[in-house]
Amino acid sequence: MVSVQTTIGEFHFDNCLMNAAGVYCMTREELAAIEQSEAGSFVTKTGTFKERKGNPEPRYADTALGSINSMGLPNHGYRYYLDYVTELQEQPGSKPHFLSLVGLSPDETHKILKDVQASDYRGLVELNLSCPNVPGKPQIAYDFETTEQILKEVFTYYKKPLGIKLPPYFDIVHFDQAAHIFNQFPLTFVNCINSIGNGLIIEDEHVLIKPKNGFGGIGGDYVKPTALANVHAFYQRLKPSIQIIGTGGVKSGRDAFEHILCGASMVQLGTVLHQEGPEVFGRITAELKAIMTAKGYKNVADFRGKLRYFNN
Ligand code: SIN
């Protein structure tokens, strides 16, 4: 029997596949559907200090090769998600969860995290440093100074397991600089990658989404090579206690296999989950297990990070 079980920090997951923040995670009903699916866990929609309506519609579009979105962090406010995961964790058989959070300023982020620290929630937090879609608010993790400052302050009071959701980086020097910062902190994981920010997709002569005159985060097939490169770059550079979650372009068992080969301990589904619904976890799990069986791997640790290179 092959196993797709995995761990992140102290948490055990029966399946290394789960949703990506932003997909199937806005309401309790959507989160319950992921909880009841074959997914190993769920991550909530990123909760902000106050609830948000987000950007004007249309703000998401599927394309033949993936998707574009400029949702603008619509959400019910962090307390809605904090209450739900705190409630769920007391239920027998509950999976461990990820609570995605960010403030619209460092001050708001600290207020939220101090509240989570003081709460009964015992699960993981994913601090979203990478949303490209809030007009006037740049992706935090592209500003290394601010990122370091936020993490420095967070870890003075936040003592529960916490990871960060990263934007894609595109330069080796940036991988080095980012890893140097992250290695200074007791992060449990980094999640690579959020959408590739501010792409533009055109049909006939028209943009596909309304916010920002059509600019939006790109997901799906377009982003898999960038996602794999980021997963592997951080797998090579981060201290072993910081695990990697791989997100981007996964629509088959083969894609999940490649993320794990690059070093991912858990793999998230975004665009494909939006397109196919929670049954997709069953399909991709079966495909991943078939590949593992064919290659003689019994569990994901057997091939995690074991990407092969040409001999130098
Ligand atoms: C959004 O709500 O705009 C997407 C979330 C994200 O990219 O972090």
Side-chain angles (χ1 to χ4, degrees), residues 17-311:
L17 303 179
M18 62 180 289
N19 70 306
V23 186
Y24 251 95
C25 58
M26 181 79 86
T27 62
R28 283 176 170 240
E29 291 71 29
E30 287 181 345
L31 290 164
I34 304 298
E35 180 78 353
Q36 282 146 29
S37 77
E38 277 200 45
S41 179
F42 68 62
V43 58
T44 67
K45 177 68 185 166
T46 300
T48 51
F49 192 62
K50 292 192 180 135
E51 70 180 294
R52 288 172 57 81
K53 284 195 180 355
N55 292 338
E57 295 181 355
R59 56 192 184 182
Y60 177 97
D62 285 314
T63 72
L65 293 175
S67 63
I68 182 166
N69 89 83
S70 182
M71 303 298 289
L73 290 181
N75 76 94
H76 293 290
Y78 79 96
R79 278 178 198 274
Y80 174 95
Y81 304 102
L82 175 59
D83 288 348
Y84 186 52
V85 288
T86 306
E87 196 179 298
L88 262 192
Q89 75 186 358
E90 304 308 336
Q91 294 185 5
S94 167
K95 300 167 181 178
H97 303 115
F98 295 77
L99 175 63
S100 174
L101 302 167
V102 78
L104 293 191
S105 65
D107 195 41
E108 277 189 7
T109 295
H110 295 309
K111 279 191 185 142
I112 295 170
L113 284 175
K114 282 180 182 168
D115 203 15
V116 178
Q117 174 64 35
S119 76
D120 290 333
Y121 178 57
R122 299 186 296 273
L124 292 139
V125 160
E126 177 174 285
L127 182 59
N128 184 355
L129 299 181
S130 50
C131 178
N133 303 328
V134 180
K137 301 279 177 194
Q139 286 157 275
I140 298 165
Y142 282 148
D143 177 344
F144 289 144
E145 217 172 294
T146 301
T147 297
E148 185 170 0
Q149 190 52 41
I150 289 174
L151 292 177
K152 217 174 242 171
E153 216 168 314
V154 163
F155 284 111
T156 62
Y157 61 84
Y158 197 80
K159 305 297 173 194
K160 296 178 180 180
L162 178 134
I164 48 179
K165 178 82 174 271
L166 297 176
Y169 297 102
F170 301 95
D171 194 289
I172 300 297
V173 170
H174 293 160
F175 291 137
D176 292 341
Q177 291 173 338
H180 176 73
I181 293 168
F182 304 150
N183 276 331
Q184 295 171 44
F185 299 103
L187 288 163
T188 303
F189 67 90
V190 300
N191 185 344
C192 309
I193 59 171
N194 205 321
S195 55
I196 296 185
N198 297 302
L200 193 53
I201 300 181
I202 298 167
E203 203 171 78
D204 189 13
E205 295 175 47
H206 210 280
V207 298
L208 281 190
I209 55 172
K210 182 169 179 183
K212 296 166 72 180
N213 285 339
F215 283 63
I218 305 295
D221 293 358
Y222 307 103
V223 313
K224 193 179 83 169
T226 300
L228 293 177
N230 276 259
V231 168
H232 197 55
F234 284 111
Y235 183 75
Q236 290 171 311
R237 287 166 176 77
L238 293 180
K239 56 189 179 185
S241 58
I242 306 180
Q243 289 175 268
I244 320 286
I245 297 177
T247 306
V250 178
K251 64 176 192 189
S252 68
R254 172 68 203 184
D255 299 324
F257 179 80
E258 290 178 13
H259 269 267
I260 297 165
L261 202 60
C262 285
S265 292
M266 199 136 196
V267 177
Q268 297 189 338
L269 311 185
T271 299
V272 74
L273 173 60
H274 187 271
Q275 293 172 345
E276 291 184 34
E279 302 75 41
V280 75
F281 290 108
R283 173 177 70 77
I284 296 184
T285 302
E287 291 172 7
L288 176 59
K289 283 183 170 174
I291 294 168
M292 290 168 64
T293 303
K295 291 181 175 286
Y297 295 129
K298 295 218 168 348
N299 54 62
V300 295
D302 285 349
F303 63 99
R304 184 188 306 122
K306 305 226 167 101
L307 182 63
R308 296 185 198 164
Y309 315 121
F310 289 102
N311 290 329

